[in-house]
CSV table of all heavy atoms in Angstrom, one decimal:
chain,number,residue,atom,x,y,z
A,44,LYS,N,-58.4,191.0,62.1
A,44,LYS,CA,-59.1,191.7,61.0
A,44,LYS,C,-59.5,190.6,60.0
A,44,LYS,O,-58.6,189.8,59.7
A,44,LYS,CB,-58.3,192.8,60.4
A,44,LYS,CG,-58.0,193.9,61.3
A,44,LYS,CD,-57.1,194.9,60.6
A,44,LYS,CE,-56.7,196.0,61.6
A,44,LYS,NZ,-55.7,196.9,61.0
A,45,ILE,N,-60.7,190.6,59.5
A,45,ILE,CA,-61.1,189.7,58.5
A,45,ILE,C,-61.3,190.5,57.2
A,45,ILE,O,-62.1,191.5,57.3
A,45,ILE,CB,-62.4,188.9,58.9
A,45,ILE,CG1,-62.3,188.2,60.2
A,45,ILE,CG2,-62.9,188.0,57.7
A,45,ILE,CD1,-61.2,187.1,60.2
A,46,VAL,N,-60.7,190.1,56.2
A,46,VAL,CA,-60.8,190.8,54.9
A,46,VAL,C,-61.2,189.8,53.8
A,46,VAL,O,-60.5,188.8,53.6
A,46,VAL,CB,-59.4,191.5,54.5
A,46,VAL,CG1,-59.6,192.2,53.2
A,46,VAL,CG2,-58.9,192.4,55.6
A,47,THR,N,-62.3,190.1,53.2
A,47,THR,CA,-62.9,189.1,52.2
A,47,THR,C,-62.7,189.6,50.8
A,47,THR,O,-62.6,190.8,50.5
A,47,THR,CB,-64.3,188.8,52.5
A,47,THR,OG1,-65.1,190.0,52.3
A,47,THR,CG2,-64.6,188.2,53.8
A,48,ASN,N,-62.6,188.7,49.8
A,48,ASN,CA,-62.7,189.0,48.4
A,48,ASN,C,-63.3,187.8,47.7
A,48,ASN,O,-63.8,186.9,48.4
A,48,ASN,CB,-61.4,189.5,47.8
A,48,ASN,CG,-60.3,188.4,47.8
A,48,ASN,OD1,-60.6,187.2,47.6
A,48,ASN,ND2,-59.1,188.7,48.1
A,49,ASP,N,-63.3,187.7,46.4
A,49,ASP,CA,-64.1,186.7,45.7
A,49,ASP,C,-63.6,185.3,45.9
A,49,ASP,O,-64.5,184.4,46.2
A,49,ASP,CB,-64.0,187.0,44.2
A,49,ASP,CG,-64.8,188.2,43.8
A,49,ASP,OD1,-65.7,188.6,44.6
A,49,ASP,OD2,-64.6,188.8,42.7
A,50,ASN,N,-62.3,185.0,45.8
A,50,ASN,CA,-61.9,183.6,45.9
A,50,ASN,C,-61.1,183.3,47.1
A,50,ASN,O,-60.6,182.1,47.3
A,50,ASN,CB,-61.0,183.3,44.7
A,50,ASN,CG,-61.8,183.4,43.4
A,50,ASN,OD1,-62.9,183.0,43.3
A,50,ASN,ND2,-61.2,184.1,42.4
A,51,SER,N,-61.0,184.2,48.1
A,51,SER,CA,-60.2,183.9,49.3
A,51,SER,C,-60.7,184.9,50.4
A,51,SER,O,-61.4,185.9,50.1
A,51,SER,CB,-58.7,184.0,49.1
A,51,SER,OG,-58.4,185.3,48.7
A,52,TRP,N,-60.1,184.7,51.6
A,52,TRP,CA,-60.3,185.7,52.6
A,52,TRP,C,-59.1,185.6,53.5
A,52,TRP,O,-58.4,184.6,53.5
A,52,TRP,CB,-61.6,185.4,53.4
A,52,TRP,CG,-61.8,184.1,54.1
A,52,TRP,CD1,-62.1,182.9,53.5
A,52,TRP,CD2,-61.5,183.8,55.5
A,52,TRP,NE1,-62.2,181.9,54.5
A,52,TRP,CE2,-61.8,182.5,55.7
A,52,TRP,CE3,-61.2,184.6,56.6
A,52,TRP,CZ2,-61.7,181.8,56.9
A,52,TRP,CZ3,-61.1,184.0,57.8
A,52,TRP,CH2,-61.3,182.6,58.0
A,53,LYS,N,-58.8,186.7,54.2
A,53,LYS,CA,-57.6,186.8,55.0
A,53,LYS,C,-58.1,187.0,56.5
A,53,LYS,O,-59.0,187.7,56.8
A,53,LYS,CB,-56.8,188.1,54.7
A,53,LYS,CG,-56.1,188.0,53.4
A,53,LYS,CD,-55.3,189.3,53.2
A,53,LYS,CE,-54.7,189.4,51.8
A,53,LYS,NZ,-54.1,190.7,51.6
A,54,ALA,N,-57.3,186.4,57.4
A,54,ALA,CA,-57.4,186.7,58.8
A,54,ALA,C,-56.1,187.3,59.2
A,54,ALA,O,-55.0,186.6,59.0
A,54,ALA,CB,-57.7,185.4,59.6
A,55,ILE,N,-56.1,188.5,59.7
A,55,ILE,CA,-54.9,189.2,60.1
A,55,ILE,C,-54.9,189.3,61.6
A,55,ILE,O,-55.7,190.0,62.1
A,55,ILE,CB,-54.8,190.5,59.4
A,55,ILE,CG1,-54.9,190.4,57.9
A,55,ILE,CG2,-53.5,191.3,59.8
A,55,ILE,CD1,-55.2,191.7,57.1
A,56,TYR,N,-53.9,188.7,62.3
A,56,TYR,CA,-53.8,188.8,63.7
A,56,TYR,C,-52.6,189.7,64.0
A,56,TYR,O,-51.5,189.4,63.5
A,56,TYR,CB,-53.5,187.4,64.3
A,56,TYR,CG,-54.6,186.4,64.0
A,56,TYR,CD1,-54.6,185.6,62.9
A,56,TYR,CD2,-55.7,186.2,64.9
A,56,TYR,CE1,-55.6,184.7,62.7
A,56,TYR,CE2,-56.7,185.3,64.7
A,56,TYR,CZ,-56.6,184.5,63.6
A,56,TYR,OH,-57.6,183.6,63.4
A,57,GLU,N,-52.9,190.7,64.9
A,57,GLU,CA,-51.8,191.6,65.2
A,57,GLU,C,-51.8,191.9,66.7
A,57,GLU,O,-52.9,192.3,67.2
A,57,GLU,CB,-51.9,192.8,64.4
A,57,GLU,CG,-50.7,193.7,64.4
A,57,GLU,CD,-50.7,194.8,63.3
A,57,GLU,OE1,-51.7,195.0,62.6
A,57,GLU,OE2,-49.6,195.4,63.2
A,58,THR,N,-50.6,191.7,67.3
A,58,THR,CA,-50.6,192.1,68.8
A,58,THR,C,-50.5,193.6,68.9
A,58,THR,O,-50.1,194.3,68.0
A,58,THR,CB,-49.3,191.5,69.4
A,58,THR,OG1,-48.2,191.9,68.8
A,58,THR,CG2,-49.4,189.9,69.4
A,59,CYS,N,-51.0,194.1,70.0
A,59,CYS,CA,-51.1,195.5,70.3
A,59,CYS,C,-50.2,195.8,71.6
A,59,CYS,O,-50.8,196.0,72.6
A,59,CYS,CB,-52.5,195.9,70.5
A,59,CYS,SG,-53.6,195.4,69.2
A,60,SER,N,-48.9,195.7,71.4
A,60,SER,CA,-48.0,195.8,72.6
A,60,SER,C,-48.0,197.2,73.1
A,60,SER,O,-47.8,198.2,72.4
A,60,SER,CB,-46.6,195.4,72.2
A,60,SER,OG,-45.8,195.5,73.2
A,61,LYS,N,-48.2,197.3,74.5
A,61,LYS,CA,-48.1,198.6,75.2
A,61,LYS,C,-46.7,198.7,75.8
A,61,LYS,O,-46.4,199.7,76.5
A,61,LYS,CB,-49.2,198.7,76.2
A,61,LYS,CG,-50.6,198.8,75.6
A,61,LYS,CD,-51.6,198.9,76.6
A,61,LYS,CE,-53.0,199.0,75.9
A,61,LYS,NZ,-54.1,199.0,76.9
A,62,THR,N,-45.9,197.7,75.7
A,62,THR,CA,-44.6,197.7,76.3
A,62,THR,C,-43.6,197.9,75.1
A,62,THR,O,-43.9,198.1,74.0
A,62,THR,CB,-44.3,196.3,77.0
A,62,THR,OG1,-44.3,195.3,76.1
A,62,THR,CG2,-45.3,196.1,78.1
A,63,ASN,N,-42.3,197.7,75.5
A,63,ASN,CA,-41.3,197.8,74.4
A,63,ASN,C,-41.1,196.5,73.6
A,63,ASN,O,-40.2,196.4,72.8
A,63,ASN,CB,-40.0,198.2,75.1
A,63,ASN,CG,-40.0,199.6,75.6
A,63,ASN,OD1,-40.8,200.4,75.1
A,63,ASN,ND2,-39.2,199.9,76.6
A,64,SER,N,-41.9,195.4,74.0
A,64,SER,CA,-41.7,194.2,73.2
A,64,SER,C,-42.2,194.4,71.8
A,64,SER,O,-43.2,195.1,71.6
A,64,SER,CB,-42.4,193.0,74.0
A,64,SER,OG,-43.8,193.3,74.0
A,65,PRO,N,-41.5,193.7,70.9
A,65,PRO,CA,-42.0,193.9,69.5
A,65,PRO,C,-43.3,193.3,69.2
A,65,PRO,O,-43.7,192.3,69.8
A,65,PRO,CB,-40.9,193.1,68.7
A,65,PRO,CG,-40.3,192.2,69.6
A,65,PRO,CD,-40.4,192.8,71.0
A,66,SER,N,-44.1,193.9,68.4
A,66,SER,CA,-45.4,193.4,68.0
A,66,SER,C,-45.2,192.3,67.0
A,66,SER,O,-44.2,192.1,66.3
A,66,SER,CB,-46.3,194.5,67.5
A,66,SER,OG,-45.8,195.0,66.3
A,67,GLU,N,-46.3,191.4,66.8
A,67,GLU,CA,-46.3,190.4,65.8
A,67,GLU,C,-47.5,190.6,65.0
A,67,GLU,O,-48.6,191.0,65.4
A,67,GLU,CB,-46.3,189.0,66.5
A,67,GLU,CG,-45.0,188.6,67.1
A,67,GLU,CD,-44.9,187.1,67.4
A,67,GLU,OE1,-45.6,186.3,66.8
A,67,GLU,OE2,-44.2,186.8,68.4
A,68,LYS,N,-47.3,190.2,63.7
A,68,LYS,CA,-48.4,190.2,62.7
A,68,LYS,C,-48.4,188.9,62.0
A,68,LYS,O,-47.4,188.5,61.4
A,68,LYS,CB,-48.3,191.4,61.8
A,68,LYS,CG,-49.4,191.6,60.8
A,68,LYS,CD,-49.2,192.8,60.0
A,68,LYS,CE,-50.4,193.1,59.1
A,68,LYS,NZ,-50.2,194.4,58.4
A,69,PHE,N,-49.5,188.2,62.0
A,69,PHE,CA,-49.7,186.9,61.3
A,69,PHE,C,-50.9,187.0,60.4
A,69,PHE,O,-52.0,187.4,60.8
A,69,PHE,CB,-49.9,185.8,62.3
A,69,PHE,CG,-50.2,184.5,61.7
A,69,PHE,CD1,-49.3,183.9,60.8
A,69,PHE,CD2,-51.3,183.8,62.1
A,69,PHE,CE1,-49.6,182.7,60.3
A,69,PHE,CE2,-51.6,182.5,61.6
A,69,PHE,CZ,-50.7,182.0,60.7
A,70,VAL,N,-50.6,186.7,59.1
A,70,VAL,CA,-51.7,186.8,58.1
A,70,VAL,C,-51.9,185.4,57.5
A,70,VAL,O,-50.9,184.7,57.1
A,70,VAL,CB,-51.3,187.7,56.9
A,70,VAL,CG1,-52.3,187.8,55.9
A,70,VAL,CG2,-50.9,189.1,57.5
A,71,VAL,N,-53.2,184.9,57.5
A,71,VAL,CA,-53.6,183.7,56.9
A,71,VAL,C,-54.4,184.0,55.7
A,71,VAL,O,-55.4,184.7,55.9
A,71,VAL,CB,-54.4,182.8,57.9
A,71,VAL,CG1,-54.7,181.5,57.2
A,71,VAL,CG2,-53.7,182.6,59.2
A,72,VAL,N,-54.0,183.5,54.6
A,72,VAL,CA,-54.9,183.7,53.4
A,72,VAL,C,-55.6,182.3,53.2
A,72,VAL,O,-54.9,181.3,52.9
A,72,VAL,CB,-54.1,184.1,52.1
A,72,VAL,CG1,-55.0,184.2,50.9
A,72,VAL,CG2,-53.3,185.4,52.4
A,73,HIS,N,-56.9,182.3,53.3
A,73,HIS,CA,-57.7,181.1,53.2
A,73,HIS,C,-58.2,181.1,51.7
A,73,HIS,O,-59.1,181.8,51.4
A,73,HIS,CB,-58.9,181.1,54.1
A,73,HIS,CG,-58.5,181.0,55.6
A,73,HIS,ND1,-58.3,179.9,56.2
A,73,HIS,CD2,-58.3,182.0,56.4
A,73,HIS,CE1,-58.0,180.1,57.5
A,73,HIS,NE2,-58.0,181.4,57.6
A,74,ALA,N,-57.6,180.2,50.9
A,74,ALA,CA,-58.1,180.1,49.5
A,74,ALA,C,-59.3,179.1,49.6
A,74,ALA,O,-59.3,178.1,50.3
A,74,ALA,CB,-57.1,179.5,48.6
A,75,LEU,N,-60.4,179.4,48.9
A,75,LEU,CA,-61.6,178.6,48.9
A,75,LEU,C,-61.3,177.2,48.2
A,75,LEU,O,-62.0,176.3,48.5
A,75,LEU,CB,-62.8,179.3,48.2
A,75,LEU,CG,-63.2,180.6,48.9
A,75,LEU,CD1,-64.4,181.2,48.2
A,75,LEU,CD2,-63.5,180.4,50.4
A,76,ALA,N,-60.3,177.1,47.4
A,76,ALA,CA,-60.0,175.9,46.7
A,76,ALA,C,-58.5,175.7,46.8
A,76,ALA,O,-57.8,175.9,45.8
A,76,ALA,CB,-60.5,175.9,45.3
A,77,GLY,N,-58.0,175.3,48.0
A,77,GLY,CA,-56.6,175.1,48.1
A,77,GLY,C,-56.1,175.3,49.5
A,77,GLY,O,-56.8,175.6,50.4
Side-chain angles (χ1 to χ4, degrees):
K44 297 177 186 173
I45 304 297
V46 180
T47 61
N48 64 40
D49 291 340
N50 297 318
S51 67
W52 60 280
K53 290 181 190 176
I55 304 165
Y56 299 89
E57 192 164 11
T58 60
C59 309
S60 178
K61 294 181 181 176
T62 66
N63 291 336
S64 61
S66 64
E67 287 193 27
K68 184 176 188 177
F69 174 55
V70 179
V71 183
V72 179
H73 296 272
L75 298 182

